[in-house]
């Protein structure tokens, strides 16, 4: 009987120490930003940081645009569709998609610091179709 109590205590200890998916997203966003950012992802596109907003369950990606991309973004629908496809196809986001997280992509100007050029949010309704 004593062994049963030890096993039960060990199980509850493991459960109480287990990281929630929200805590994991928060931690991974900080780690990604510290280890990788800023990182070029395409010509004239740099990923500046990543964050997690618990209140909206949103993983946020922040990018700076330069060169020709910095002045105008013409085809917002095409960008939205490309980001949606990327989220749908990404095995790295599987745990977050299973938890019904949102994914937000924020693009800002390099020459006009703080100016938001485009913001796209991909929701579970979109990527689970």
């Amino acid at each position: 009987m004593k062994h049963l109590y030890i096993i039960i205590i060990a199980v509850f200890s493991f459960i109480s120490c287990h990281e929630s998916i929200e805590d994991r997203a928060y931690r991974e966003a900080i780690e990604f930003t510290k280890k990788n950012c800023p990182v070029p992802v395409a010509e004239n596109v740099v990923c500046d940081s990543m964050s997690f907003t618990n209140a909206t369950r949103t993983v946020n990606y922040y990018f700076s645009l330069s060169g020709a991309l910095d002045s105008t973004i013409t085809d917002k629908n095409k960008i939205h569709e490309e980001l949606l496809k990327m989220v749908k196809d990404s095995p790295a986001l599987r745990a977050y998609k299973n938890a019904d997280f949102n994914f937000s992509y924020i693009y800002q100007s390099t020459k006009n610091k703080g100016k938001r050029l485009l913001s796209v949010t991909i929701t579970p309704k979109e990527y689970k179709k």
Side-chain angles (χ1 to χ4, degrees), residues 24-117:
R24 174 183 166 190
Y26 180 78
R27 177 184 51 78
E28 288 182 349
I30 290 171
E31 289 174 357
F32 176 82
T33 300
K34 284 181 180 177
K35 290 179 184 176
N36 300 299
C37 295
V39 61
V41 292
E43 186 175 346
N44 299 320
V45 181
V46 172
C47 181
D48 298 313
S49 65
M50 181 180 167
S51 70
F52 177 70
T53 306
N54 196 19
T56 59
R57 298 174 54 101
T58 304
V59 176
N60 306 288
Y61 299 92
Y62 298 91
F63 299 91
S64 292
L65 301 179
S66 60
L69 295 176
D70 198 340
S71 54
T72 58
I73 296 178
T74 56
D75 198 348
K76 295 177 183 180
N77 289 331
K78 182 178 179 184
I79 293 169
H80 184 274
E81 289 305 314
E82 288 175 7
L83 291 170
L84 176 58
K85 181 177 179 354
M86 185 182 72
V87 168
K88 282 183 175 182
D89 294 346
S90 175
L93 299 177
R94 182 174 293 127
Y96 296 151
K97 292 186 292 187
N98 289 341
D100 291 335
F101 281 14
N102 299 299
F103 301 92
S104 181
Y105 300 85
I106 298 102
Y107 297 90
Q108 299 183 67
S109 171
T110 298
K111 67 181 174 186
N112 298 313
K113 295 285 185 210
K115 180 181 178 187
R116 186 173 287 190
L117 300 172

Side-chain angles (χ1 to χ4, degrees), residues 6-19:
I6 293 171
I7 291 171
I8 291 171
I9 290 169
V11 168
F12 281 113
S13 295
F14 175 76
I15 291 170
S16 66
C17 293
H18 186 71
E19 183 178 44

